[in-house]
Amino acid sequence: MADSAAAKLNIKPSKLKTDMAVKLVNVNKWYGEFHVLRDINLAVKGGEKVVICGPSGSGKSTMIRCVNRLEEHQQGQIIVDGVELTNDLKKIDEVRREVGMVFQHFNLFPHLTVLENCTLAPLWVRKIPKKQAEEIAMHYLTRVKIPQQALKFPGQLSGGQQQRVAIARALCMAPKIMLFDEPTSALDPEMVKEVLDTMVSLADDGMTMLVVTHEMGFARQVADRVIFMDAGQVIESNTPEEFFNHPQHERTKLFLSQILH
Amino acid sequence: MTMSEGDLAVMEIRFVRGAMLDSKPPPASMRGAIGWLRENLLSSPFNIALTVIIALLLAWIIPDLLRFLIFDAVWTGADRDACLEGVQHRAIGACWPFVWERWPYFVYGSYPGPDRWRVDVFFVMLAIGVVWLLWLHAPRRDIGAIYFFVVLPISAFILLTGWRAIGLEPVDTVLWGGILVTIVVSWVGIVVSLPLGIVLALGRRSHMPAVRLFSITFIEFVRGVPLVTVLFMASVMLPLFVPEQYSPDKLLRALVGIALFASAYMAEVVRAGLQAIPKGQFEGAMAVGLNYPQRMRLIILPQALKITIPNIVNTYIGLFKDTTLVFIVGIFDFLHTVEISRIDPKWATPVTSTTGYAVAAIFYLIFCYAMSRYARATEARLALSDRR
């Protein structure tokens, strides 16, 4: 039923122009004197789901925030679906249009209703007519199972509901790539599952996803690859099977022993 | 007395709730008039003391105030004799006939008598514009905005200064005065200072050094100088540098001075609001692909302005009262017309000044209180989305 609605609305999962969704080549970044990202190399293919984990301060959030230029890198190349991120504002806007992002603290716009949150960018960035934007928004709100909250303000919803709205808001732009920056870390334990379920269903649809999370169950279930970062560098990268069952690096073993009880 | 489940829970190690508890109404001491009194007036010894002191103060002031303004007041009369204790042989309060006679001067200043209808039309047009914009259920508020910001300024300018081609005699601004000047000056200040203040505030936070430097210099310079100095500069210094025939009108110079002055303060008020917006809002707006003007207009400014409403209105109220300072450059605002009238020999009595100032106080109080009330209502209306 949802499929036919999607067909009627002409909502298609956007196709990447190249087969390489995200590519980071020797990326380095500093906060003042502090070297946060050190020689990061990463290639994410279309449709691939990559989970990034690591202790706090390891640079994992900074890395995915570089992918849509919320953070600026100083050395190396970041290429998102064939577009290289430089100081060129046009390029940055082009990338941000195609890359959706979900934040730890939702970052919904509190002065707009849930529906307005979802239609804002399609209206102003994609220049879609209002009625159509609302139909698309309702489609995705239905998809994340909260269409009945459309006219409420974000502050009236629970954390889990807010995060699902944030996911719907990102999807309304029909992104090619989704970035998740610790999407469940700020949620009450009872709400984590509803958000993870939404993310799993998104993954099942073939979305390219970069997910920073400590939800190891999600990583096992969904990820094609798990990356472990520490001190601004990639320490280990492997399939979830191998990563969890046979970690190689001492630091990885220590980390896993801390979080898997 | 039977044991409640709670008692059981305290006594027993094992406890399983049998029946869920229904919610009960609060005790009588929390409800109704008594509850209100207890909570708002008598909640603590300090609060009780305050309540008593304020009650005493009111009891001390209000009877005298009413006696002066109403019970002992003189309501009719032709000249000062009506308000002289020695002539009337009774206690004399406010001298209202003085106000009746001088009221047209308070409103229009020296604006020529036959043309005063033009001022009335302006007042009505302005009132329509204000109501149209501020009344939320008014129809077509988009047209209202165009009316207020485009049609009204142009037609007010033509109407008040005159235009021979359509039969309106030119009236020199030197003749303007009273409430007309107060309203015109504060209206222009209010309408200009907010947009200009927003631009300056954004400029001050800009990443472009030239823009930032200009904004900071302007804001700090204007804030570093008293308004009186700005007005003096505008009306005394400017003609020294600019030839007489190119020198702009005196009222216009004061208008520009006040508008720029208010803008600098408004810029700092808006900047405070911008700084209170969490970084996540900027990032959320960037991540969905909005560009800088869109981010500011759709996401950041609506939230920043909302939290600064009390301060914006505070600045407006300050501006409204500061317009009285234009008298030092020889412009006859409302307070100045009162000031001139009270020393008129025809009405000179011991109570004339007090009466005049009372009228001025009531006038400013009504306008400032209205602004403050409207702001409170707006805050309450927008509070719905306050929770994050």
Side-chain angles (χ1 to χ4, degrees):
Chain A
M1 197 242 132
D3 283 345
S4 68
K8 197 182 76 198
L9 291 168
N10 197 19
I11 301 168
K12 290 182 225 123
S14 298
K15 287 260 158 43
L16 291 158
K17 283 181 290 189
T18 63
D19 55 359
M20 194 59 76
V22 179
K23 193 172 173 190
L24 284 77
V25 184
N26 288 327
V27 170
N28 279 283
K29 176 174 173 60
W30 290 263
Y31 285 132
E33 289 290 304
F34 181 57
H35 197 172
V36 266
L37 294 181
R38 308 179 187 181
D39 280 337
I40 304 280
N41 284 287
L42 175 69
V44 181
K45 291 200 284 289
E48 201 178 358
K49 293 107 185 78
V50 178
V51 165
I52 301 145
C53 59
S56 60
S58 61
K60 52 195 192 307
S61 285
T62 307
M63 186 183 81
I64 73 160
R65 287 157 59 86
C66 281
V67 173
N68 65 350
R69 195 72 169 193
L70 290 185
E71 302 280 355
E72 201 174 309
H73 62 288
Q74 278 92 33
Q75 278 178 10
Q77 274 187 312
I78 299 178
I79 302 164
V80 182
D81 194 21
V83 179
E84 183 176 355
L85 282 168
T86 59
N87 282 324
D88 186 348
L89 285 177
K90 280 225 173 70
K91 292 272 167 65
I92 294 173
D93 282 344
E94 194 180 329
V95 166
R96 284 178 183 161
R97 275 200 297 273
E98 309 306 329
V99 177
M101 184 153 190
V102 175
F103 298 87
Q104 180 178 1
H105 295 288
F106 329 136
N107 296 356
L108 292 174
F109 308 130
H111 62 302
L112 302 176
T113 63
V114 165
L115 186 64
E116 288 165 340
N117 265 278
C118 293
T119 55
L120 189 79
L123 282 175
W124 290 92
V125 181
R126 292 251 189 258
K127 315 281 184 203
I128 291 174
K130 188 168 182 216
K131 190 153 184 308
Q132 196 187 343
E134 283 179 354
E135 281 175 20
I136 294 172
M138 287 314 292
H139 168 78
Y140 284 113
L141 286 173
T142 311
R143 166 103 196 251
V144 299
K145 304 194 172 65
I146 33 177
Q148 68 280 10
Q149 314 282 10
L151 298 179
K152 289 192 182 165
F153 285 98
Q156 297 169 289
L157 306 186
S158 72
Q161 289 173 325
Q162 291 194 45
Q163 194 59 296
R164 283 184 285 149
V165 171
I167 294 173
R169 176 177 77 178
L171 291 177
C172 284
M173 283 292 282
K176 296 167 177 168
I177 300 160
M178 284 286 286
L179 309 175
F180 292 84
D181 187 4
E182 305 205 28
T184 56
S185 301
L187 297 178
D188 290 341
E190 281 181 310
M191 320 224 153
V192 171
K193 189 170 178 301
E194 62 188 51
V195 170
L196 289 180
D197 285 348
T198 310
M199 290 166 63
V200 170
S201 100
L202 196 58
D204 290 344
D205 281 5
M207 177 66 79
T208 309
M209 294 164 69
L210 272 76
V211 185
V212 172
T213 185
H214 295 136
E215 295 295 333
M216 291 305 136
F218 173 81
R220 277 178 196 275
Q221 187 185 348
V222 168
D224 297 311
R225 187 167 19 146
V226 180
I227 288 174
F228 175 71
M229 286 181 72
D230 189 28
Q233 45 219 306
V234 175
I235 303 287
E236 196 163 338
S237 166
N238 215 329
T239 60
E241 287 287 288
E242 290 294 304
F243 181 85
F244 290 112
N245 298 337
H246 309 289
Q248 303 295 311
H249 198 282
E250 285 306 314
R251 188 67 189 87
T252 319
K253 288 177 188 168
L254 179 66
F255 178 76
L256 289 175
S257 74
Q258 300 287 346
I259 62 164
L260 302 173
H261 311 290
Chain B
M1 191 186 149
T2 56
M3 264 186 177
S4 74
E5 277 199 319
D7 297 329
L8 286 168
V10 170
M11 292 174 62
E12 304 285 330
I13 291 175
R14 287 160 174 277
F15 166 73
V16 178
R17 180 163 292 288
M20 301 300 277
L21 301 177
D22 290 330
S23 70
K24 283 179 248 171
S29 62
M30 282 177 67
R31 284 179 292 165
I34 294 170
W36 187 89
L37 280 177
R38 277 174 65 115
E39 185 175 328
N40 292 292
L41 298 181
L42 310 167
S43 62
S44 66
F46 180 66
N47 197 345
I48 293 171
L50 275 185
T51 305
V52 170
I53 290 171
I54 290 171
L56 287 176
L57 267 178
L58 290 178
W60 179 44
I61 293 170
I62 288 181
D64 280 349
L65 201 62
L66 291 178
R67 200 172 302 133
F68 180 81
L69 289 179
I70 298 170
F71 301 124
D72 286 351
V74 177
W75 297 92
T76 52
D79 57 16
R80 64 195 290 266
D81 284 347
C83 302
L84 278 178
E85 217 168 308
V87 178
Q88 300 295 328
H89 304 295
R90 69 171 178 100
I92 297 289
C95 184
W96 294 118
F98 154 71
V99 177
W100 309 152
E101 187 182 299
R102 279 304 191 146
W103 184 250
Y105 182 61
F106 292 167
V107 175
Y108 307 100
S110 305
Y111 208 89
D115 287 317
R116 285 184 177 177
W117 62 268
R118 284 153 58 175
V119 178
D120 295 333
V121 172
F122 163 69
F123 284 150
V124 171
M125 286 177 71
L126 182 63
I128 290 172
V130 168
V131 171
W132 202 345
L133 271 198
L134 298 190
W135 184 39
L136 296 174
H137 302 293
R140 297 309 302 267
R141 294 176 73 223
D142 49 341
I143 300 179
I146 297 172
Y147 170 79
F148 192 79
F149 290 105
V150 181
V151 179
L152 189 56
I154 295 171
S155 46
F157 178 78
I158 293 172
L159 197 62
L160 293 176
T161 56
W163 187 15
R164 272 223 177 76
I166 57 170
L168 294 175
E169 276 302 301
V171 177
D172 196 315
T173 55
V174 172
L175 299 174
W176 297 20
I179 291 175
L180 168 64
V181 160
T182 296
I183 297 280
V184 165
V185 173
S186 39
W187 173 51
V188 170
I190 283 172
V191 169
V192 171
S193 66
L194 186 59
L196 208 54
I198 290 172
V199 170
L200 285 168
L202 292 176
R204 190 165 185 167
R205 285 167 56 92
S206 165
H207 294 296
M208 288 176 278
V211 175
R212 192 169 60 232
L213 189 66
F214 173 81
S215 303
I216 292 177
T217 312
F218 179 86
I219 293 169
E220 293 306 333
F221 178 76
V222 173
R223 290 204 311 158
V225 189
L227 176 58
V228 176
T229 316
V230 174
L231 290 172
F232 266 133
M233 295 254 289
S235 71
V236 182
M237 304 273 284
L238 199 62
L240 293 181
F241 305 118
V242 184
E244 184 66 31
Q245 64 268 35
Y246 299 122
S247 176
D249 181 271
K250 185 164 74 174
L251 181 65
L252 182 65
R253 277 176 284 165
L255 276 180
V256 171
I258 284 196
L260 292 182
F261 190 81
S263 307
Y265 279 86
M266 197 56 84
E268 288 300 278
V269 166
V270 173
R271 189 168 68 98
L274 290 174
Q275 270 165 349
I277 302 301
K279 199 160 155 262
Q281 290 294 308
F282 291 87
E283 292 179 349
M286 282 188 221
V288 291
L290 299 173
N291 60 28
Y292 178 84
Q294 292 170 335
R295 290 203 292 273
M296 288 302 153
R297 190 160 57 86
L298 300 169
I299 307 298
I300 306 303
L301 281 175
Q303 298 185 58
L305 293 182
K306 189 186 84 181
I307 53 177
T308 45
I309 285 173
N311 286 329
I312 290 175
V313 174
N314 197 29
T315 308
Y316 278 171
I317 289 175
L319 168 68
F320 185 71
K321 294 187 293 189
D322 278 352
T323 58
T324 52
L325 286 174
V326 296
F327 88 90
I328 60 152
V329 293
I331 296 170
F332 294 80
D333 76 305
F334 174 56
L335 188 63
H336 200 33
T337 57
V338 173
E339 190 66 21
I340 288 172
S341 306
R342 78 183 178 86
I343 50 176
D344 177 358
K346 186 183 172 194
W347 288 101
T349 71
V351 293
T352 309
S353 297
T354 322
T355 309
Y357 289 138
V359 170
I362 292 167
F363 171 82
Y364 285 105
L365 192 66
I366 288 172
F367 274 82
C368 295
Y369 188 66
M371 282 194 250
S372 150
R373 287 307 303 177
Y374 185 81
R376 278 292 307 136
T378 309
E379 278 174 63
R381 180 169 62 83
L382 296 176
L384 187 61
S385 58
D386 256 358
R387 292 178 294 158
R388 283 182 198 280

